C-alpha cells in the first residue's frame, strides 16, 4: 500500500478501511467474541509502541499481551511465542490465530465459522478458515476440501483438507474456482497443546528453542529461529487438518484496488480521502494524506499523495505498485522506510526541512509524556516551544520553558523533554552538527523500556 | 499554468521553458538586438522585486527601467506609461512591444520580422507581428492581411491589415487557416510619437492622464486609467496599421499541453522535471517541483506536484485547468494566490507549518541583504540561526547571532534581520500570537523602498 505504508508503518497500522486502523478494527472484532485481556498481539519490536498506542486509544483491554519480535521472522515463530504463553496458562485452550490487516465485512459469518472451527479443534484438529472464492484470483494459495467432519451448523460444515495448493496460474485458478476450492486465508483455530505437539513433531529444533526462551525473547534467541510460515512449518504436514468454508466479505487489502472496492463510492464512482478537488473524474481512488489532490478529465486512476511523494497508477495496475516501490527504493530509499512524520511512544515528530548541516523538526509531546533521558555525540539542539509548556532537563538544570521561550542543548549534554501538563506540547527543534542521524542517541533512562 | 503559477507568481516568472524563466529568456532575446539599458519592463508592483531579482541574476543591464503598476490594468495603460518615457527622450524612437511570457524558438525569424516591421514603422505605421498559424486554433484573435506595403526582405513582406477578427469557433478557424489569416501575437512595433498621437486621438482622456503623471504613477493616478487593451484602445482604430507574417516557432505557453509540446521528450515520449520515477508511463508531462512524482501504467497525463498540491489532468484537457482553478479558489483560496515559498527582494521564506496560534517559517537571507526595520502589533517572533551568521537589531540592541543561537522579538519591538556576510543565512522563525498574517507589519526603513 505504498506510499501510505512504509516498512516502519505497515498497513495494519493505517486507517485504510474506515476511521480506525486495520489493527484497531481487528481488536474490535475479536473483542466482540472474547475478553480482550485474552488477546495476544505479536508485532515487530519497532512497531510495538505504535501498536500499543493504537490499542490504548480505542481498545485498552487489549494492552495486556503485546509481544515484540526483536527481528522480523515468518509467521510460525511469531505464532509460537504467543501460543507457548497461552499453553503455559491453559494447555487445552483453543487458540484462534488471525491476521491484523484483513477486512471482514460480514462479522456474523466470521463468528459462525470460528464457532464451527472450535467444535472440531476440540477434537485435536488444526482448522483453517477457507474463503469461498468469488473470482479466479492467482494471488492466493488454495485449499481442496474433502469429507465433511462435522455439520452441527448446517451452513458451516467443517471438512477435511484434502490438499494445500500453491498459488495457481489463471487457467488453474479458473478450474479451482469451478471445483469448489477455497482460498487459504491464513486464519487458524487449534488447541494450544495441539500446536505445541505439532511444533515438537515437525519443527523439533524450534520447539526446543521456544521452550528455552525467557519471558521476552532476546534478539539472539529469536534471531536463531528458522524463518518459516505456519503453513509450511506445520499446517501442511499435520495429519488432522480441517477447513471451514466461509463467505464473510473478506479481503486481505493487498492492493489499492482492493481498498477502492471496499470503500463507499461518491459522485462519479470515486472514492476520496482528505482534500480532493475532482472535475470530470470517474472511477478513481483519490487519497490526499497531505496537501491537496486535484484532478481533471481522468478515469480509473489511483492517486495517493503523502508529504513526500505522489503516486499515480492505473487502477488495473495497482497490484504492480511493488515494482514501483523497487525503483523508489533504489533512488529514494528513505521513502520506502518511513514517513516524514514518525510516531513515537511519547507522541510524534515531523521532519520539516533538512539542510547541509541542519535539520528542522516539529515535535509533538502528548500530555503527561516524556522522551528518554538522552544525549547526542554529534549534534546540538535548539528547542523553541511553539505551543504548551515544556519541562526540560538540560545537563544539571531543570527548566520550565513556556510558549515562545527556548533552550539550547549542546552536543554531549544529557537532556530530556517532558510534557507534564494536560495540554499538547509542540516544540520546534533545530539540530545542527556534522552528523544528524536518528541513531546518534545514547539513552540513559526511558519509561518505555527502549 | 496552475499549480505552478499563482497570482503572486505568474508564468513569466517561472522557468517553464528551460533553465531560465520566461522573463529572463525574453530579456536575453531582446538583448541580442538592442542595448538592454534601452529595455523598459512594466510589471505589477507586487512582482517588481522578483522581476528585478531575476533580471539582476542574469541580465543586470535590463535593471535600469523596471516600472511598477500600482494596480493591475490592461495592456494599453501599461504600454502607455513606458512609451511616454521613451517619447520624452526621443519622440522618433521606434518602440517594439513584446510580451514577457512567450516562447520564440526561431529567433532569426523573429529578428527579421522585427526589422521588416521597423521599415514600415518609420513611415508612421503601427505594425503587428502576425503568426502564421499551423492549426485552426480557437483561442487567438486573427488578422486578415491585405495589400503588400513593403517587401525589402522578400521573406518578410509587410502587409496592410484588412481586418482584426475576434477569436473564432472551430469552423471559422478552419476557414481563416485556409485563407491565410494570421494569429494576433500582441507584439507591436511603432514610433513613440505615433503611439502618443494615436493615444491622443482615440483615448484622449487617458492621454491627458498619462501626461499629467509624475515619474512613478501613484495608485490614485494609475488606478484612474481605463482598463483597456492595446488592440481595442488603439490598434483596431488606427488608420495606418500593418502586419508582418512570421513563422518563428512561437508559443504563448498558454497551457500545460504547450509546455509538453515545447520540451524535448525522454523515454516513452515523456517530459519530466524534478524527482520523477515513471514505470510503464508514456506521452506524459511529469513535473515534481517538490517531493517525488511516481507513476505506473498511465498515458497522456499532465502531473504537477508542488509543496501544497498535486494536479493531475488528461493532456487533452489542459486548456481547462482554469475550471479546476475556480474550484480550488472556492475551497483553498491561498492555493491560487501564493506558494508556500515566497520570493522577497532580500531572499525568500517558506511556511513550514501552521498551528492554531503559531507559524513556523524558514527564512533565507541572501548574502549582504537585509529585511526592513519593522515591528508587528500582534505577534512575537523567535529566531534560531540554522546556518550562517545573522546581525539582528532587536529594540535598542544590535546582536550578532551565530549558528544555533537564537533571539526573541517581543510583539511591538522594532527589529531588523541582516545578513552582512558573503554566505547564505538561514533562520528558523517561530511566530506566536493571536493574529499571524503577513499584513501585520509596520515598516520604518526599507532599502527596497517598500
Amino acid at each position: 500500500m505504498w506510499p501510505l505504508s512504509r516498512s516502519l508503518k505497515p498497513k495494519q497500522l493505517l486507517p485504510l478501511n474506515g476511521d480506525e486502523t486495520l489493527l484497531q478494527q481487528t481488536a474490535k472484532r475479536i473483542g466482540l467474541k472474547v475478553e480482550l485481556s485474552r488477546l495476544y498481539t505479536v508485532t515487530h519490536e519497532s512497531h510495538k509502541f505504535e501498536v500499543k498506542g493504537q490499542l490504548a486509544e480505542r481498545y485498552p483491554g487489549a494492552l495486556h499481551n503485546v509481544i515484540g519480535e526483536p527481528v522480523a521472522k515468518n509467521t510460525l515463530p511469531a505464532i509460537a511465542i504467543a501460543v507457548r504463553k497461552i499453553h503455559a496458562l491453559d494447555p487445552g485452550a483453543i487458540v484462534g490465530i488471525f491476521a491484523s490487516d484483513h477486512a471482514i465485512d460480514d462479522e456474523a459469518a466470521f463468528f459462525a465459522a470460528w464457532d464451527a472451527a472450535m467444535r472440531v479443534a476440540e477434537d485435536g484438529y488444526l482448522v483453517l478458515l477457507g474463503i469461498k472464492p468469488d473470482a479466479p484470483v492467482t494471488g492466493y494459495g488454495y485449499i481442496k476440501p474433502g469429507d465433511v467432519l462435522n455439520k452441527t451448523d448446517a451452513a458451516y460444515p467443517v471438512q477435511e483438507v484434502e490438499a494445500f495448493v500453491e498459488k495457481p496460474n489463471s487457467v488453474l485458478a479458473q478450474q479451482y474456482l469451478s471445483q469448489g476450492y477455497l482460498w487459504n486465508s491464513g486464519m487458524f483455530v487449534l488447541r494450544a497443546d495441539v500446536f505445541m505437539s505439532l511444533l515438537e513433531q515437525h519443527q523439533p529444533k524450534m520447539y526446543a528453542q521456544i521452550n528455552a526462551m525467557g519471558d521476552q525473547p532476546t534478539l539472539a534467541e529469536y534471531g536463531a529461529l528458522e524463518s518459516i510460515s505456519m503453513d509450511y512449518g506445520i499446517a501442511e504436514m499435520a495429519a488432522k487438518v480441517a477447513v471451514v468454508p466461509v463467505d464473510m466479505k473478506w479481503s486481505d487489502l493487498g492492493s489499492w484496488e482492493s481498498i477502492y472496492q471496499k470503500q463507499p463510492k461518491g459522485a462519479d464512482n470515486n472514492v476520496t480521502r482528505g482534500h480532493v478537488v475532482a472535475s470530470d473524474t470517474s472511477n478513481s481512488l483519490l487519497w490526499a494524506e497531505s496537501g491537496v489532490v486535484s484532478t481533471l478529465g481522468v478515469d480509473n486512476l489511483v492517486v495517493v499523495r503523502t508529504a513526500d511523494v505522489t503516486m499515480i497508477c492505473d487502477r488495473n495496475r495497482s497490484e504492480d505498485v511493488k515494482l514501483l516501490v523497487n525503483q523508489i527504493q533504489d533512488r529514494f530509499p528513505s521513502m520506502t522506510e518511513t514517513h516524514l512524520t514518525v510516531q513515537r511512544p511519547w507522541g510524534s515528530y515531523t521532519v520539516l526541512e533538512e539542510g547541509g548541516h541542519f535539520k528542522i523538526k516539529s515535535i509533538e509531546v502528548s500530555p503527561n509524556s516524556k522522551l528518554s533521558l538522552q544525549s547526542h555525540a554529534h549534534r546540538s539542539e535548539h528547542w523553541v516551544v511553539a505551543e504548551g509548556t515544556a519541562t526540560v532537563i538540560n545537563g544539571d538544570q531543570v527548566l520550565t520553558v513556556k510558549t515562545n521561550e527556548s533552550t539550547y542543548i549542546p552536543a554531549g549534554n544529557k537532556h530530556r523533554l517532558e510534557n507534564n501538563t494536560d495540554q499538547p506540547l509542540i516544540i520546534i527543534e533545530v539540530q545542527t552538527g556534522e552528523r544528524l542521524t536518528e541513531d546518534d542517541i545514547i539513552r540513559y533512562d526511558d519509561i518505555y523500556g527502549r
Side-chain angles (χ1 to χ4, degrees), chain A:
Chain A
M1 308 307 297
W2 186 86
L4 226 53
S5 69
R6 309 278 164 117
S7 55
L8 289 176
K9 187 88 176 182
K11 79 178 201 283
Q12 63 268 28
L13 301 181
L14 296 168
L16 291 173
N17 189 34
D19 289 338
E20 297 196 326
T21 67
L22 299 178
L23 172 74
Q24 288 171 329
Q25 291 186 333
T26 303
K28 181 182 186 180
R29 188 185 308 126
I30 303 296
L32 294 174
K33 190 163 162 69
V34 299
E35 270 290 324
L36 279 177
S37 61
R38 289 157 67 193
L39 175 65
Y40 288 73
T41 305
V42 186
T43 185
H44 190 277
E45 191 64 49
S46 64
H47 304 142
K48 188 174 163 184
F49 295 105
E50 191 165 357
V51 164
K52 289 176 97 163
Q54 291 193 1
L55 293 175
E57 187 193 6
R58 300 283 181 115
Y59 307 103
L63 280 172
H64 292 83
N65 302 294
V66 179
I67 304 169
E69 298 174 87
V71 60
K73 290 280 169 181
N74 209 323
T75 49
L76 185 58
I79 292 168
I81 58 171
V83 175
R84 71 159 185 146
K85 293 198 179 209
I86 297 167
H87 182 256
L89 295 173
D90 177 3
I94 296 182
V95 184
I97 299 164
F98 306 109
S100 62
D101 59 353
H102 291 179
I104 295 173
D105 285 358
D106 185 348
E107 293 189 331
F110 169 62
F111 294 135
W114 186 353
D115 281 339
M118 283 176 69
R119 285 188 284 273
V120 177
E122 284 283 6
D123 297 334
Y125 273 85
L126 186 166
V127 193
L128 290 107
L129 302 197
I131 310 294
K132 291 180 182 171
D134 53 14
V137 171
T138 58
Y140 302 137
Y142 283 68
I143 292 169
K144 182 181 183 188
D147 295 340
V148 171
L149 285 170
N150 181 315
K151 49 180 191 178
T152 311
D153 180 344
Y156 293 93
V158 189
Q159 294 173 263
E160 294 264 15
V161 169
E162 202 170 302
F164 287 91
V165 184
E166 297 284 327
K167 292 177 186 176
N169 61 31
S170 56
V171 175
L172 280 174
Q174 191 63 57
Q175 284 179 22
Y176 295 166
L177 183 63
S178 62
Q179 290 166 3
Y181 286 28
L182 304 162
W183 291 337
N184 183 347
S185 68
M187 290 184 261
F188 306 90
V189 179
L190 79 175
R191 285 205 325 252
D193 56 355
V194 170
F195 176 88
M196 295 307 286
S197 302
L198 287 168
L199 191 67
E200 185 176 16
Q201 186 182 350
H202 300 293
Q203 304 294 337
K205 185 179 170 196
M206 190 184 294
Y207 177 78
Q209 289 169 310
I210 288 280
N211 278 312
M213 275 179 188
D215 198 49
Q216 166 63 43
T218 64
L219 175 58
E221 286 170 342
Y222 198 77
L225 300 181
E226 190 183 355
S227 193
I228 189 171
S229 72
M230 176 81 174
D231 282 85
Y232 281 114
I234 284 185
E236 298 188 10
M237 292 186 276
K240 296 176 75 175
V241 55
V243 63
V244 188
V246 59
D247 175 4
M248 56 188 182
K249 301 198 192 325
W250 169 89
S251 167
D252 68 348
L253 300 175
S255 69
W256 285 110
E257 173 63 12
S258 60
I259 303 291
Y260 175 80
Q261 292 298 345
K262 277 275 163 205
Q263 294 296 306
K265 310 299 180 287
D268 298 318
N269 228 16
N270 296 317
V271 172
T272 67
R273 194 75 86 89
H275 294 317
V276 172
V277 178
S279 183
D280 289 343
T281 297
S282 48
N283 305 306
S284 292
L285 174 61
L286 307 171
W287 192 299
E289 193 69 16
S290 163
V292 172
V293 164
S294 183
T295 58
L296 170 69
V298 298
D299 178 51
N300 207 57
L301 288 187
V302 174
V303 179
V304 183
R305 183 187 153 102
T306 65
D308 50 0
V309 64
T310 304
M311 192 280 297
I312 298 129
C313 82
D314 187 278
R315 256 183 54 210
N316 303 337
R317 295 293 303 278
S318 77
E319 294 273 356
D320 297 331
V321 170
K322 53 187 175 295
L323 306 176
L324 209 52
V325 174
N326 292 338
Q327 292 183 48
I328 290 281
Q329 177 128 40
D330 287 347
R331 288 186 52 195
F332 308 101
S334 72
M335 230 167 247
T336 62
E337 188 182 317
T338 178
H339 284 285
L340 295 179
T341 295
V342 177
Q343 261 68 36
R344 289 290 191 229
W346 43 259
S348 65
Y349 69 80
T350 302
V351 177
L352 298 178
E353 191 169 337
E354 286 186 79
H357 296 304
F358 70 90
K359 188 191 265 187
I360 316 297
K361 282 184 184 178
S362 163
I363 298 174
E364 188 159 351
V365 187
S366 306
N368 301 301
S369 298
K370 54 179 155 183
L371 282 70
S372 57
L373 181 66
Q374 56 187 241
S375 69
H376 310 294
H378 301 284
R379 68 176 185 257
S380 303
E381 294 178 345
H382 204 110
W383 293 343
V384 184
V385 176
E387 195 173 298
T389 301
T391 303
V392 175
I393 297 174
N394 186 359
D396 298 333
Q397 295 184 292
V398 180
L399 308 165
T400 299
V401 188
K402 295 184 177 161
T403 301
N404 226 340
E405 296 177 349
S406 73
T407 189
Y408 174 71
I409 319 281
N413 254 35
K414 274 193 201 182
H415 59 280
R416 180 169 220 158
L417 177 59
E418 304 182 8
N419 178 5
N420 297 326
T421 76
D422 293 327
Q423 302 297 317
L425 168 65
I426 298 173
I427 296 271
I428 304 304
E429 175 179 277
V430 180
Q431 303 178 355
T432 55
E434 296 296 312
R435 201 166 145 240
L436 301 169
T437 54
E438 293 302 319
D439 61 0
D440 173 19
I441 186 167
I442 302 164
R443 288 201 175 94
Y444 303 95
D445 178 48
D446 184 53
I447 59 170
Y448 310 100
R450 291 175 302 179

